Amino acid sequence: MFGRTVDVVTVDLSTVEVDEDLLSVAELGRALGIARTAALTDYLRAHTWLRQRLSEYLDVPPEEIEIAENEHGKPYIDAPATDLSFNLSYSGGRAVLGAGFRMEVGVDVEPLEGAQLNPEMMHRVLSRPEAETVRQSGNMKREFYKLWVRKEAMAKANGWGVGEETATNLLGLSPVERDGFEVTDLNIGDEFAAAVAVPAGCTIDLSVKIEAMA
Ligand SMILES: CC(C)(COP(=O)(O)OP(=O)(O)OC[C@H]1O[C@@H](n2cnc3c(N)ncnc32)[C@H](O)[C@@H]1OP(=O)(O)O)[C@@H](O)C(=O)NCCC(=O)NCCS
C-alpha cells in the first residue's frame, strides 16, 4: 500500500477465533466490564482480528502493538512508531476496519435486521432535509441507516462532537464531501449499512475485502 490509500476490510466475526494472548491488559480489563455475552464475544473477536490485521501492516507481532486513545477517545497506534491510522466498527456479528497511511479514517457498520426506527430517533439524528428524504423513501429503515452510518463514519474520522453530525446534511450520491472529509457508502451485503470517511482531496483506492477467517 502506498500514497493516500484507504483499505477497507470486513469480516464475519463468527469466523474469528478469539486469542486473548494477543490482547493488552487494558483490552482484557475492558472485556471484564462487558456483561452481555454476545457483546463480550464480539468485543474479543473484533479486537483479536484488529490486532491480526494491524500486525500485517506493521510487520510486528499482534501482541506488541500498543494502542492508545486521543483526547476524543479515538484509538491510534502508539507503538511501533507509524503514520498508519485505523478505525474499527463492529455490530451484529460483523466488523469493518479502515486503515490508511497519513490520514484520519472513520468507519461505521450497522445491521439492518432488528434495527429500530422511531420519530424521536429521526428527529435527534437527522437534519430536516434528511428526515424528509427518509420519510419519502420507499424503505425508511434502509435510508435512515444509510445516513446514520455516514454520520458516524464522518464523526469517527474527524472527531466531530455529539450534535455536529446531526446539523450536517449528508444527503447526496456517494461519495459525499463535507468540511474537508469525504464519506463513501460501502456495499457489504443487504443485511448491513456501512460507510467509510477519509479526508477529501486525496486519491482513494477503495476496495472492500470480505474476509472469513479459517
Ligand atoms: C464512541 C463511538 C465511536 C462508538 O460507536 P459505536 O457505533 O457504538 O461503535 P462502533 O463499533 O462503530 O465503534 C467502536 C469502535 O470505534 C473506535 N472508537 C472509540 N471512540 C472513538 C472515537 N471517539 N472516534 C473514532 N473511533 C472511536 C474504537 O475502536 C471502538 O471499538 P472499542 O469500543 O471496541 O474500542 C460513537 O458513539 C461516537 O462517538 N460517535 C460520534 C458522535 C455521535 O455521538 N454520534 C451519534 C449519532 S450519529
Side-chain angles (χ1 to χ4, degrees), residues 102-123:
R102 297 180 299 284
M103 68 172 77
E104 287 296 334
V105 186
V107 291
D108 194 51
V109 60
E110 297 291 339
L112 296 174
E113 194 185 319
Q116 301 295 314
L117 180 58
N118 59 57
E120 189 278 325
M121 197 172 176
M122 276 181 49
H123 176 72

Side-chain angles (χ1 to χ4, degrees), residues 30 47 72-75 87-90 108 152 156 165:
R30 268 194 63 197
H47 281 251
H72 305 295
K74 182 172 182 175
N87 197 231
L88 174 71
S89 180
Y90 53 97
D108 194 51
E152 281 284 349
K156 292 175 78 179
E165 79 284 351

